[in-house]
Amino acid sequence: MPGGAAARHSGWKQVDTALKAQAMRNHYRVSIPGLVFVMLMAFGPACSAENTIRLSTAAKAAAAGDTAVGERQYDKALPLLEQALAIYTVEREEILTANVLTSMAQLREGKGEYDAALSAVHNALAIYEKRNATATKEYAQAYQILAKTYSKRQDVANALPAMQRSVAISTKVYGENHMETVIAHSNLATVYLTSGDFANARVHAVKALNLCEQIVEPSQPCIGVTLGQVGSVYSRSGDNTNSLLYYKRALVAMERELGPDHPSLAVGIANVGAGEGNAGNYETAIALTKRGLTLQEKQGKSTLAVANTLNNLAFLYGKMGQHENAVAEIRRAIEIREKIQGKWSAGLAIPINNYASFLAALKQPVQAQEQGRRGLALALANGLLKSQNDSFQTLASIQATPGNQSATVFLRKQAVSTVLKIAQATKLRDRDLGKTFVAEKAAGFRRLIDELIGLDRLPEAQEILALLKGDEYLHFAGERLVSTTIVSFSEFEKPWLHKFREHETRLVAMTGAWSALQRKSTAQTSVEEIQRQAEAEAELAAENLAFMTFFEQMAQAFATKEAQHSSATKESLQRLGEKRQLLERHGGGTVALKFVSGERLHIVLTGDRKQLSRRIDITAEQLQRKITAFRQVLQNPRSDPGPLARELYQLLLAPVAPELAAMKARTLLVSLDGALRYLPMAGLHDGKRYLAQRYSLALISELGNRSLADQVRTTPHLAGFGLTKSVAGFKALPGVQRELSGIAGAGGRGVLRGEILLDEAFTADSLAASLAKGHPFTHLASHFVYKAGHDDASFLLLGDGTRLSIKALQNPRFDFSRTELLTLSACDTAATGVDANGQEVEGVASMLQQRGAKTVLATLWAVDDGSTAAFMPAFYRRLQTSVSKPEALRLAQRDLMHGRFAAGGAKRGAERVGVAGAQPKYKADERNRYAHPYFWAPFVMVSNWR
């Protein structure tokens, strides 16, 4: 279970270690009584005895109030600070007034009265700045409270710059090796974490830890706290291994500094319990969570901390299948929160959604739906996007019964829409650490795709897949902006969506008014306001009832509509019409095949007059294992590819073979998904022939297929670039010179006219300059390495030895807009590792198409240098006839498998040697040395197939 999944589906509360550090701080503010004494000495007789008494009274009240704030005894502190503030204001003691205002702001922030806290701290800062006291500890502390209050109010836009300035001020005032600077970095890490900027969150969490370790005998247990925060960054980003490692180190440090039974250890214990739960060690996690709960209950059995731990414990019981225990603990957690925060507090959204899930597991669907809808109402009312997604998914799963699939789809669509909002808010800035969010998002998309296909709503399913692939591309390409495409709804769904949004608007407005009244302290609340609070809660209860009624009406309407067979969205039908027109325009025999990976594999076939789907009973994991095994066999020309090639054909093509025959298919436009993007389709075998011998094949990408309709130029002019020498650990490629000479050699020896730049002449500058000239064909013959999920780690090795990353290729100076065909004749795709899902294969082609290239010809593994030198001229020769690009590729592959060339060149790319497990031996035909698919199957063509 990923760390992020725990937080999403269970509401697993990761402890905010930065705020714990804030609570453990020492109060460095200069003693207010001491300041008064200094002033009296300075002014002597000018101060009357009465003034002295008043100032002394204020100093004592301020000191007592400050102590009470530090102990979180806010009701005790408030009248003391108000007394001190009144005296200092009358006496015009501005600095002392600012000090008390800062304490007052800390009090208001602690009580959750954020508007009042901001007002107080802004007034304090204004005084400090007026009196030129910005290089003081008091000013630094006031700025930390300002930044923390923005953060607690979830106002990231203001919190981030305030926290950044707080770090700068604390560093200037205290120096780096000081607890206040540690706290400032820790608080800044928290804001970055909240905003989804995991990279900067990690930077400042690690900085806080390093500074803490440099402090000699720190009086606070900051090492444990900062270790825990680093663990939280890893947890939120899905790295459960490092997360648990840091959590365990943090607990050991806190036990060493605080002792084994200190109440504050509950924080560290809860984090380790969370880590063990994420790792699937539920029994260990339950034992740890119970230990932490015991420590927390020593300070009170009805606190928010206890409620959070009970929620975690309920989640663990749920994972163990002990749903009765889960229900008992989650009910306690809800009761505590309702008592402390009220029935409409934001903190109830997660536990109530969990409650719904547990009830559903206990086969209590009516009660589960009631709680799920309440959880959704709370998430909507409080603007909690992640909780909204969780609630939509929970309700959809509860709703997913025969006759209710249309309502399920409607809820899933809203979940996907919400996830896109989250993506736009977080920007997915660190792609490595953002992998949990991406994986969870994809799972939600694929559930929706499965359900749409199950309802035979194929155009909509393809639309959602296109949306998912678009975001995959942006994730791979490192874009900080996400797709602005929105989920479309059918004409039947749109009125219900409108009504839903109306309820949401009312819930948000009513909850905002109720929350504003709730934030007022008891001392400030008048009789009229108490009455207004009751009225606001009654209004919310009435709107909640109306929301529940709306859900019942919606479910009934969708069930009725489903019996009449729901229609697809106008937008998706329009896209289907455009695709059919495209197929018709390019003649008969052209068929589109789309493979969609969900809980099971789906094949969607589109011809000029027909669209249908087939479901394949294989999981994504099972399919990935077969593809990996097939690739290993293909990359060893001594292994027999036949058994696996036939098995995969039967799995992937045989289910639609009758339809392909009926349509007299000659060209297949194939859209692949997930690990299928690593599969060389040309190498599949129907028992008589390879697919490359039967069909012309072209891959189409969701972002690049717009160029399918582009008019192409046929001017046969090529710019060729190559590396022949060994460079930086990569083998020499002696066949490159022969390859390029055969394509565009001087004196008419080549197939095309053109220019060739080899080795030192092949640089980033020369490539950019060549692209600017507008050669229709650009051919790159060098090592090209793909790495899953890393556009900055995937690279083309240039002739001068430098590495041109995919990220660098996105620079505007590399303009492919006049490139008809871009050939990468030496790609190496490493289809290994848990994160390998083919994003980089489609992502590179999509990026190049977005940069303007009409068609991309690439390879799926390190190709043989000698066979490629023979293959490429054959391909370009075929391209000069009237055939399409995919047909030219097919014919060149046929030429190679039936040719009489001597094999044995070097491999291009990062070579991998060996095949896992024993494989049948392949007996090569002495007359056709390149017949094995190793030599011709890795070449794949993407996009403009004419």
Side-chain angles (χ1 to χ4, degrees):
M1 175 189 66
R8 271 192 48 192
H9 301 303
S10 74
W12 192 293
K13 177 93 174 155
Q14 298 295 343
V15 180
D16 186 344
T17 54
L19 300 182
K20 289 294 179 183
Q22 179 76 21
M24 289 187 292
R25 64 164 48 211
N26 283 344
H27 292 276
Y28 289 100
R29 186 173 296 133
V30 177
S31 167
I32 294 178
L35 277 175
V36 175
F37 176 76
V38 171
M39 292 176 66
L40 292 174
M41 291 293 292
F43 294 105
C47 290
S48 67
E50 182 180 352
N51 285 352
T52 302
I53 293 171
R54 284 171 58 80
L55 290 172
S56 178
T57 300
K60 291 176 182 178
D66 222 22
T67 300
V69 169
E71 295 171 351
R72 301 186 182 182
Q73 298 179 19
Y74 300 129
D75 291 337
K76 176 182 176 181
L78 182 59
L80 292 167
L81 294 177
E82 287 177 337
Q83 180 187 9
L85 184 61
I87 294 173
Y88 288 143
T89 302
V90 170
E91 297 296 330
R92 298 183 180 179
E93 297 292 345
E94 290 185 324
I95 293 296
L96 299 178
T97 298
N99 291 347
V100 178
L101 282 169
T102 301
S103 294
M104 189 74 78
Q106 190 173 353
L107 181 151
R108 298 294 188 194
E109 179 272 324
K111 295 188 70 174
E113 299 170 4
Y114 302 129
D115 291 340
L118 289 172
S119 176
V121 75
H122 276 300
N123 288 335
L125 289 169
I127 293 172
Y128 290 135
E129 289 162 3
K130 173 186 173 184
R131 296 295 301 272
N132 198 27
T134 56
T136 63
K137 297 176 180 179
E138 292 74 28
Y139 185 75
Q141 288 187 347
Y143 226 96
Q144 280 206 24
I145 292 170
L146 172 69
K148 182 183 173 186
T149 304
Y150 278 131
S151 179
K152 292 289 286 292
R153 201 173 67 163
Q154 298 184 339
D155 183 354
V156 176
N158 283 309
L160 186 56
M163 282 292 186
Q164 289 168 335
R165 189 171 179 198
S166 174
V167 168
I169 293 170
S170 296
T171 303
K172 179 180 178 181
V173 172
Y174 298 105
E176 279 214 325
N177 296 337
H178 195 283
M179 273 304 305
E180 292 296 326
T181 306
V182 172
I183 292 169
H185 279 287
S186 181
N187 287 341
L188 180 54
T190 299
V191 176
Y192 276 125
L193 196 59
T194 301
S195 71
D197 189 343
F198 301 126
N200 277 315
R202 182 172 54 178
V203 167
H204 287 278
V206 171
K207 178 72 171 179
L209 172 61
N210 292 340
L211 292 177
C212 190
E213 289 174 335
Q214 294 172 22
I215 297 174
V216 179
E217 297 183 358
S219 55
Q220 292 91 348
C222 71
I223 292 178
V225 169
T226 50
L227 280 168
Q229 186 175 39
V230 176
S232 292
V233 174
Y234 279 116
S235 176
R236 283 280 300 277
S237 60
D239 187 342
N240 297 320
T241 301
N242 277 315
S243 169
L244 184 56
L245 174 66
Y246 275 93
Y247 280 156
K248 286 181 174 179
R249 288 179 58 194
L251 181 57
V252 169
M254 293 179 75
E255 286 178 329
R256 182 175 62 248
E257 297 176 28
L258 298 173
D261 299 318
H262 196 284
S264 293
L265 281 181
V267 174
I269 292 168
N271 282 338
V272 176
E276 295 287 3
N278 290 338
N281 304 323
Y282 299 121
E283 292 183 357
T284 302
I286 287 173
L288 284 164
T289 304
K290 286 183 175 179
R291 179 188 166 197
L293 182 62
T294 300
L295 290 176
Q296 287 174 329
E297 288 181 332
K298 288 181 180 180
Q299 294 183 306
K301 293 191 175 183
S302 296
T303 65
L304 291 179
V306 168
N308 292 334
T309 302
L310 288 169
N311 183 63
N312 294 349
L313 188 58
F315 167 77
L316 292 168
Y317 280 133
K319 296 300 289 187
M320 294 284 289
Q322 300 176 22
H323 296 108
E324 294 86 355
N325 288 336
V327 165
E329 302 299 349
I330 204 66
R331 280 177 175 167
R332 278 188 63 198
I334 291 170
E335 288 171 3
I336 292 171
R337 281 197 172 274
E338 287 180 338
K339 181 179 179 181
I340 296 174
Q341 296 179 318
K343 292 185 176 181
W344 285 93
S345 69
L348 281 167
I350 288 174
I352 288 177
N353 185 60
N354 293 340
Y355 187 21
S357 298
F358 301 146
L359 290 170
L362 289 171
K363 308 300 182 185
Q364 300 178 27
V366 176
Q367 298 91 326
Q369 284 193 9
E370 179 183 350
Q371 294 301 323
R373 291 166 183 175
R374 184 189 172 196
L376 177 59
L378 285 164
L380 293 168
N382 291 280
L384 306 174
L385 291 178
K386 288 197 72 176
S387 293
Q388 289 175 31
N389 175 56
D390 296 345
S391 295
F392 279 127
Q393 295 288 7
T394 298
L395 283 168
S397 297
I398 296 170
Q399 192 84 35
T401 56
N404 290 318
Q405 286 94 337
S406 292
T408 299
V409 162
F410 180 63
L411 293 170
R412 297 267 194 228
K413 281 186 176 182
Q414 295 199 70
V416 167
S417 296
T418 303
V419 167
L420 291 176
K421 292 178 186 176
I422 296 171
Q424 290 164 354
T426 62
K427 308 298 184 187
L428 293 177
R429 298 186 181 206
D430 187 315
R431 287 162 298 118
D432 293 333
L433 292 179
K435 62 188 177 186
T436 299
F437 174 80
V438 175
E440 290 174 359
K441 177 182 68 175
F445 276 60
R446 294 190 187 284
R447 280 192 292 268
L448 175 56
I449 290 168
D450 274 341
E451 287 157 352
L452 285 167
I453 293 176
L455 288 170
D456 203 28
R457 293 162 65 173
L458 304 182
E460 288 177 271
Q462 293 183 87
E463 182 182 18
I464 298 299
L465 180 62
L467 190 60
L468 173 60
K469 285 194 172 186
D471 271 4
E472 279 185 344
Y473 161 70
L474 292 169
H475 176 74
F476 169 77
E479 297 285 347
R480 294 200 174 192
L481 297 176
V482 295
S483 173
T484 56
T485 307
I486 60 174
V487 177
S488 61
F489 290 82
S490 70
E491 294 304 308
F492 179 77
E493 291 168 333
K494 286 177 181 177
W496 291 102
L497 181 64
H498 179 69
K499 292 177 183 178
F500 185 92
R501 297 301 178 213
E502 288 179 340
H503 280 287
E504 180 181 8
T505 300
R506 288 196 292 272
L507 283 168
V508 169
M510 291 179 180
T511 304
W514 176 83
S515 298
L517 291 167
Q518 288 292 108
R519 284 197 295 265
K520 288 183 175 291
S521 65
T522 305
Q524 292 179 307
T525 307
S526 65
V527 175
E528 292 79 8
E529 286 171 331
I530 292 174
Q531 178 64 30
R532 181 61 191 130
Q533 286 179 357
E535 292 173 355
E537 191 149 338
E539 289 173 358
L540 269 172
E543 176 56 33
N544 185 55
L545 180 60
F547 188 62
M548 301 299 162
T549 303
F550 159 76
F551 252 93
E552 289 294 337
Q553 294 171 345
M554 181 195 71
Q556 292 173 7
F558 274 87
T560 302
K561 181 66 176 177
E562 186 170 326
Q564 302 169 0
H565 193 75
S566 295
S567 60
T569 68
K570 182 187 297 184
E571 293 83 354
S572 60
L573 288 174
Q574 181 179 349
R575 291 188 182 185
L576 174 60
E578 291 172 352
K579 182 170 286 187
R580 286 175 173 169
Q581 290 174 10
L582 182 65
L583 296 175
E584 291 173 357
R585 184 163 67 248
H586 289 288
T590 301
V591 176
L593 281 180
K594 180 166 292 197
F595 293 85
V596 183
S597 297
E599 293 182 0
R600 289 293 185 268
L601 179 67
H602 299 275
I603 306 173
V604 179
L605 181 150
T606 305
D608 58 350
R609 301 182 185 277
K610 187 175 184 180
Q611 185 172 56
L612 56 88
S613 70
R614 295 288 183 267
R615 173 184 165 120
I616 311 302
D617 190 23
I618 187 171
T619 66
E621 292 76 17
Q622 291 169 338
L623 181 60
Q624 184 168 26
R625 284 196 292 271
K626 290 182 182 295
I627 291 170
T628 300
F630 186 44
R631 279 177 57 100
Q632 288 175 330
V633 169
L634 288 181
Q635 290 180 77
N636 184 347
R638 293 182 297 277
S639 296
D640 183 6
L644 283 172
R646 290 188 289 272
E647 180 182 351
L648 283 167
Y649 176 88
Q650 290 299 315
L651 184 71
L652 301 174
L653 270 297
V656 293
E659 287 77 16
L660 292 174
M663 295 178 181
K664 298 181 180 179
R666 295 189 301 275
T667 299
L668 302 185
L669 305 183
V670 184
S671 173
L672 299 175
D673 186 30
L676 278 168
R677 290 177 283 204
Y678 294 121
L679 178 68
M681 296 291 292
L684 303 187
H685 200 283
D686 65 3
K688 296 181 179 179
R689 289 181 290 178
Y690 286 107
L691 214 62
Q693 294 173 295
R694 181 180 288 271
Y695 302 108
S696 299
L697 298 169
L699 302 183
I700 53 174
S701 70
E702 302 300 330
L703 290 183
N705 62 12
R706 288 190 298 266
S707 63
L708 286 171
D710 291 347
Q711 296 296 317
V712 303
R713 291 186 299 273
T714 58
T715 306
H717 199 275
L718 176 141
F721 297 84
L723 173 66
T724 65
K725 304 182 302 182
S726 61
V727 174
F730 290 87
K731 292 183 178 180
L733 302 173
V736 163
Q737 186 164 6
R738 180 162 62 95
E739 171 187 334
L740 290 175
S741 296
I743 298 170
R749 293 195 306 271
V751 178
L752 304 172
R753 292 184 293 108
E755 61 183 24
I756 297 174
L757 298 175
L758 295 175
D759 299 330
E760 285 79 5
F762 175 19
T763 66
D765 289 338
S766 62
L767 175 60
S770 175
L771 292 171
K773 294 177 182 178
H775 298 291
F777 300 155
T778 295
H779 188 105
L780 306 178
S782 179
H783 303 279
F784 202 125
V785 178
Y786 293 154
K787 291 190 178 179
H790 297 264
D791 72 323
D792 49 357
S794 301
F795 63 90
L796 169 69
L797 188 65
L798 300 177
D800 60 359
T802 60
R803 298 183 178 189
L804 183 62
S805 71
I806 297 297
K807 187 174 184 178
L809 267 175
Q810 297 174 62
N811 189 295
R813 74 182 183 128
F814 298 106
D815 180 7
F816 295 91
S817 61
R818 291 190 283 173
T819 303
E820 187 59 47
L821 171 66
L822 175 64
T823 299
L824 310 173
S825 72
C827 303
D828 181 31
T829 307
T832 58
V834 294
D835 294 328
N837 69 351
Q839 276 187 25
E840 73 283 7
V841 178
E842 189 168 359
V844 169
S846 295
M847 182 275 291
L848 292 168
Q849 291 165 17
Q850 291 286 307
R851 301 289 304 137
K854 302 299 185 300
T855 303
V856 177
L857 178 63
T859 65
L860 289 175
W861 57 74
V863 293
D864 179 80
D865 192 42
S867 62
T868 304
F871 172 83
M872 283 300 173
F875 166 69
Y876 283 104
R877 186 177 299 110
R878 291 289 187 178
L879 201 58
Q880 298 314 298
T881 65
S882 59
V883 301
S884 67
K885 295 188 188 77
E887 178 66 3
L889 175 61
R890 187 186 76 82
L891 293 173
Q893 288 173 318
R894 189 192 65 178
D895 291 343
L896 194 64
M897 69 177 76
H898 294 303
R900 296 185 180 219
F901 306 102
K907 290 183 179 180
R908 304 181 188 181
E911 180 177 359
R912 290 181 297 279
V913 180
V915 178
Q919 300 293 343
K921 292 292 181 64
Y922 177 76
K923 187 174 181 179
D925 186 340
E926 291 296 328
R927 295 170 301 173
N928 301 320
R929 299 293 300 276
Y930 291 149
H932 193 284
Y934 161 72
F935 298 104
W936 50 263
F939 297 99
V940 292
M941 183 171 287
V942 186
S943 195
N944 191 326
W945 51 281
R946 296 299 291 179

